[in-house]
Amino acid sequence: GAVVSQHPSRVICKSGTSVKIECRSLDFQATTMFWYRQFPKQSLMLMATSNEGSKATYEQGVEKDKFLINHASLTLSTLTVTSAHPEDSSFYICSARDRLNLYEQYFGPGTRLTVT
Amino acid sequence: RKEVEQDPGPFNVPEGATVAFNCTYSNSASQSFFWYRQDCRKEPKLLMSVYSSGNEDGRFTAQLNRASQYISLLIRDSKLSDSATYLCVATVGSSNTGKLIFGQGTTLQVKP
């Protein structure tokens, strides 16, 4: 099946610093990637939809200047959490939609961010 | 009101039991529905799609009632390995451009 990787899997950073998370589709081309955030015992919340070569579409309440998304190629999207605060600590998961099979999304393994 | 609502549980059942999860969605325009399984601290994995006519995959049966905006998942002969959180998902927008909206999840613990 299609594989999506995320890097890093776990990161601890100090408050005020920025953290970049990479999402890669390893064996398919993804025109669209999605970024989700999940707090403990809560649902996955969609943060933004990222289309290759264009600006990301952010969900209501998600600050686009704080969560910078770049989708520069058909296999890579990055999420940068700028000026991170402890309340940004969460599980960040990306998913990718196959260009050749638009009905399925494949999820990455997630990145656990802890801001101290 | 949440777009997709589930009873968070937990459901504690013995091995071999049959357990049913329910889910309701608020957007009547939602077209596609899924059940995902999520293990602790892992990403969600697609369990099965849900079709209007109902569908079965081994011990798992999914049902959709569009009139009531209600989705269900039935697990027969529960195994210890079925212990996980089950996420109900509805799409918003078309199948090829839409978004997945996740419910909070229902936690299942299967005990020996």
Side-chain angles (χ1 to χ4, degrees):
Chain A
V3 178
V4 175
S5 71
Q6 273 184 250
H7 177 79
S9 58
R10 187 185 299 267
V11 57
I12 300 172
C13 70
K14 291 187 187 298
S15 192
T17 60
S18 294
V19 175
K20 181 186 282 189
I21 303 170
E22 291 186 350
C23 176
R24 291 182 187 273
S25 56
L26 297 186
D27 51 1
F28 67 98
Q29 293 183 327
T31 49
T32 304
M33 289 183 170
F34 302 87
W35 287 96
Y36 297 84
R37 179 167 55 181
Q38 186 177 32
F39 293 107
K41 297 190 187 303
Q42 293 188 26
S43 182
L44 275 77
M45 297 300 295
L46 180 65
M47 299 175 67
T49 301
S50 161
N51 290 299
E52 185 264 338
S54 63
K55 290 184 179 179
T57 302
Y58 290 81
E59 295 300 301
Q60 193 172 13
V62 178
E63 299 174 58
K64 61 180 171 59
D65 294 329
K66 180 170 178 62
F67 298 99
L68 301 178
I69 291 172
N70 183 278
H71 192 159
S73 77
L74 284 172
T75 59
L76 173 65
S77 177
T78 60
L79 167 69
T80 301
V81 182
T82 62
S83 187
H85 290 119
E87 57 265 31
D88 296 325
S89 299
S90 188
F91 191 45
Y92 290 86
I93 308 174
C94 73
S95 72
R97 178 176 282 147
D98 188 340
R99 185 171 70 92
L100 299 179
N101 184 5
L102 295 174
Y103 294 88
E104 289 200 51
Q105 286 189 30
Y106 304 97
F107 283 83
T111 296
R112 194 159 300 279
L113 170 64
T114 303
V115 184
T116 60
Chain B
R1 183 187 171 188
K2 292 179 185 173
E3 290 190 76
V4 178
E5 292 210 56
Q6 295 179 251
D7 177 351
F11 284 59
N12 295 300
V13 303
E15 266 187 296
T18 295
V19 61
F21 305 140
N22 303 321
C23 166
T24 57
Y25 60 96
S26 61
N27 190 333
S28 59
S30 291
Q31 289 294 316
S32 302
F33 306 90
F34 308 92
W35 282 100
Y36 278 75
R37 170 192 169 128
Q38 186 174 27
D39 292 286
C40 189
R41 305 174 82 83
K42 300 282 189 183
E43 78 276 22
K45 293 188 187 296
L46 180 64
L47 180 65
M48 58 196 303
S49 302
V50 186
Y51 302 118
S52 297
S53 53
N55 49 299
E56 189 173 305
D57 183 0
R59 297 181 293 109
F60 300 85
T61 301
Q63 296 274 359
L64 167 64
N65 184 322
R66 288 190 186 273
S68 303
Q69 295 183 197
Y70 171 94
I71 304 159
S72 66
L73 177 68
L74 183 78
I75 305 176
R76 290 182 298 279
D77 189 22
S78 300
K79 311 289 185 195
L80 295 176
S81 56
D82 293 334
S83 297
T85 297
Y86 291 83
L87 303 168
C88 177
V89 180
T91 60
V92 173
S94 62
S95 296
N96 59 342
T97 61
K99 305 180 291 192
L100 301 182
I101 306 298
F102 285 81
Q104 181 185 2
T106 300
T107 300
L108 171 66
Q109 281 284 348
V110 181
K111 301 195 182 297

